[in-house]
Each structure stands twice: as C-alpha cells, then as structure tokens.
Amino acid sequence: AKADGRGRWAVFDPVRSARDRAKSALATALPAALERDELVLEYQPIVATGDRRLIAVEALVRWQHPQLGRLGPDRFIALAEETGLIVDLGERVLATACADASRWLAEFPDARLRVSVNLAARQASEAALVGKVAAVLKRTGLPAELLQLELTESAVMATTGEPLRSLRRLAALGVRLAIDDFGTGYSNLAYLRRLPIHSLKLAGAFVEGIRGDDPVSRVDERIVDALVRLAHALNLSVTAEAVETRHQADRLSALGCDTGQGRFYGPPQEAGGITALLRGAAGV
Ligand code: C2E
Ligand code: CA
Ligand code: CA
C-alpha cells in the first residue's frame, strides 16, 4: 500500500495501474496521431425501416494505431474530451465527413445521402462553432440540409445561454440537429422546447430489450411506442439505434420508427463501402 498524498492509503492494484499506464500512453500519443492523420472514419448506414432505403450515414471515428491496430472511439474519445483535443479532433471528423458526403452527392445526386456527425459537449459550447461549420460547408460544397449534428442529452444540458444560441443559428443555416442516445440522459424534456431539434435517436438499450414475447420486451416496446408518439407529436423523426435482429427491425417498423441503424442493416464501414451501397441502389 502507498499513501496517495492526501493522507489516505490506497491498495496497489497492478492490473489497474497497467490499464492507467496504457491509457496515459494513448493520451500522450493522441496529438501526434491527429497530426499524422491516423484517425479514420467509418460510416454506418441509417435506413428507412419501411423500405430499407439508405437515408443517411453516421460518421464514427477510429484510430488506426501503428502498433495496436484499429482502436474504437471508446478507447480515446473520453481522453480527447479531458485534454480539450476533442475540439481539433471533432473539426477533422466534420471536415472529412462533409467532404465524403459532398462526393456522394456529386456522384449520386438522387440519393441525397445525409451525413450525421457526433458533436462533443465542448464543441457545442464553443463560440466559434457556427463559423467553423459554415466554413466547412462552404469549402466542401455540402448543402447544410445534408449535414446532421448529433448531441447527447447531457451535452445539450451543459449548453446554456450563448452556446444555445449558436445551436439555433446552426439550425437556421439548415443543419439538422439530432439528440443522441435519447432516453438515457436527464429526463428533462424542456430542451425540446428551447432547441430546433429535427430528430431523436432512441438509445440502443430500449431496442436491445425487444427480444420476443417476454414481459421485459413488452415494457420496452411500450416505451419505444410512447417515445415515437412523443417525437411525432413534436414533428421530430425517430431513429432506432443498435438494431441487431430482423425481429427488432420488424417491431420498430410497426411501432413507427422512421429510420434504423445497427448491425442488422449494416456495420460501420469505410467510405468505399457506402459508395458501393449507393452504386447498388442506383442500379449501376
Ligand atoms: P454512438 O454515437 O451511440 O454510436 C453508435 C455506436 O453503436 C457505435 O459504436 C457503433 O459502432 C455501435 N453499433 C453499431 N451497430 C450496432 C449494433 O447493432 N448493436 C450495438 N450494440 N452497437 C452497435 P462506436 O463506433 O464504438 O462509437 C462509440 C461512441 O463513440 C459513439 O456512440 C459516440 O458517442 C462516440 N464517437 C464516435 N465517433 C465520434 C466522433 O467523431 N466524435 C465524438 N465526439 N464522439 C464520437
Ligand atoms: Ca451518435
Ligand atoms: Ca447513440
């Protein structure tokens, strides 16, 4: 055991300390990784639950680490948020996603594929946000309507006053706003009145519960049913996340979810995979 400096004694835990060391090694390497362009995007299809038409894709960042291979965002996004690097990282993601979406629009104009980009709380609170987004749209030529920004409920709750105005200005530009992981954050819905939201993404936890004819499943279906009604009453569209089975896809479609995302419809994949999907849909 050793003292932690505040007069308390902590038990030395070798597993924990190895994990902490690995974590801080990643934190140290992240800024250089950003410079070396080691961050890559994968895109996951978001499809209409009715006819399976490809409506949008969500950009999901990965770190192509030279030694460790492709790391998921759960390994480094929180670190980037702690260090503030998330602002630069998020800008790169936004720029790449808009450039890819602009290419898809040029090649498949009829598809009008939207791209949905995750926005961290720090980015949402940044005074420069609107200017940055507008500049990326201008530079890439992507129409604002084809960009959607996803914010979690906690990111929205952390955003008050001036930043809230900047989200309104983004919406005024035509950018769509979506609430990510809806139903898992604060159950305070006041922000739905204060913000021009376009869509709600139902947290995977509710979808996961839809498994069959057991009581838990029936409760989760009722929750989804109620949330879809709430969303539609407010003129919002609803996306179900983490759709993994045909049963879930069928139930979600019956419950009126507009779009779905998950392994059942297609995994996150590199831009080329989405281009191939669009080519297939266009009958080329
Ligand atoms: P999220 O926004 O909720 O993203 C959806 C996550 O669900 C993704 O995990 C996706 O790969 C995963 N997923 C896809 N299909 C299924 C399925 O059928 N079942 C289940 N259970 N999960 C599925 P991923 O890619 O590991 O991303 C994790 C989180 O990292 C994201 O959660 C998002 O919060 C964050 N993230 C990813 N990219 C960015 C980014 O560019 N900026 C910021 N700020 N956060 C990001
Ligand atoms: Ca998301
Ligand atoms: Ca989500």
Side-chain angles (χ1 to χ4, degrees):
K2 75 180 184 56
D4 70 357
R6 279 166 296 191
R8 287 188 311 225
W9 292 82
V11 177
F12 178 73
D13 175 347
V15 174
R16 170 114 179 248
S17 97
R19 215 190 306 123
D20 286 350
R21 271 202 306 279
K23 195 177 148 193
S24 73
L26 284 184
T28 314
L30 193 52
L34 201 61
E35 288 314 310
R36 283 198 298 267
D37 264 332
E38 287 173 8
L39 297 186
V40 295
L41 289 186
E42 289 183 0
Y43 295 96
Q44 184 167 37
I46 298 176
V47 308
T49 57
D51 61 9
R52 304 269 176 89
R53 202 168 73 84
L54 184 61
I55 304 289
V57 289
E58 178 177 2
L60 296 161
V61 70
R62 279 89 181 83
W63 179 357
Q64 190 62 50
H65 192 284
Q67 281 87 41
L68 302 175
R70 193 163 283 205
L71 303 178
D74 293 343
R75 297 283 295 277
F76 61 91
I77 285 291
L79 292 174
E81 287 187 352
E82 285 163 27
T83 60
L85 196 67
I86 192 71
V87 173
D88 283 348
L89 188 158
E91 265 178 78
R92 300 280 187 105
V93 168
L94 179 72
T96 305
C98 289
D100 284 335
S102 181
R103 269 194 299 277
W104 286 319
L105 179 65
E107 200 177 343
F108 308 98
D110 296 341
R112 289 198 71 78
L113 187 71
R114 284 200 294 262
V115 70
S116 198
V117 175
N118 293 287
L119 204 68
R122 283 224 201 199
Q123 291 177 276
S125 311
E126 225 203 346
L129 177 70
V130 184
K132 286 178 177 176
V133 172
V136 168
L137 291 173
K138 191 164 178 225
R139 185 149 44 81
T140 59
L142 186 72
E145 304 76 50
L146 296 188
L147 173 64
Q148 171 167 282
L149 298 174
E150 301 189 3
L151 293 102
T152 61
E153 293 177 293
S154 46
V156 171
M157 298 311 286
T159 309
T160 49
E162 195 59 46
L164 204 56
R165 244 194 307 279
S166 78
L167 292 179
R168 287 206 199 93
R169 280 169 58 211
L170 278 176
L173 285 180
V175 173
R176 293 170 58 101
L177 299 178
I179 300 299
D180 204 355
D181 303 335
F182 184 73
T184 58
Y186 301 75
S187 52
N188 175 349
L189 299 177
Y191 67 83
L192 292 175
R193 292 190 278 122
R194 292 183 288 127
L195 266 183
I197 307 284
H198 295 78
S199 87
L200 301 181
K201 297 190 76 174
L202 294 189
F206 301 120
V207 177
E208 201 190 315
I210 302 176
R211 302 185 218 102
D213 208 19
D214 60 283
V216 176
S217 188
R218 277 196 297 277
V219 170
D220 277 334
E221 284 201 26
R222 272 183 222 153
I223 292 175
V224 172
D225 185 41
L227 293 179
V228 169
R229 285 167 201 272
L230 169 73
H232 286 173
L234 297 170
N235 265 323
L236 310 177
S237 83
V238 185
T239 304
E241 291 190 276
V243 182
E244 297 179 349
T245 67
R246 174 174 306 278
H247 175 73
Q248 288 170 341
D250 290 345
R251 292 308 303 145
L252 291 164
S253 176
L255 291 168
C257 271
D258 303 281
T259 51
Q261 175 181 354
R263 285 197 287 276
F264 176 73
Y265 299 113
Q269 49 205 287
E270 290 194 16
I274 301 300
T275 306
L277 285 179
L278 288 166
R279 197 164 280 139
V284 176

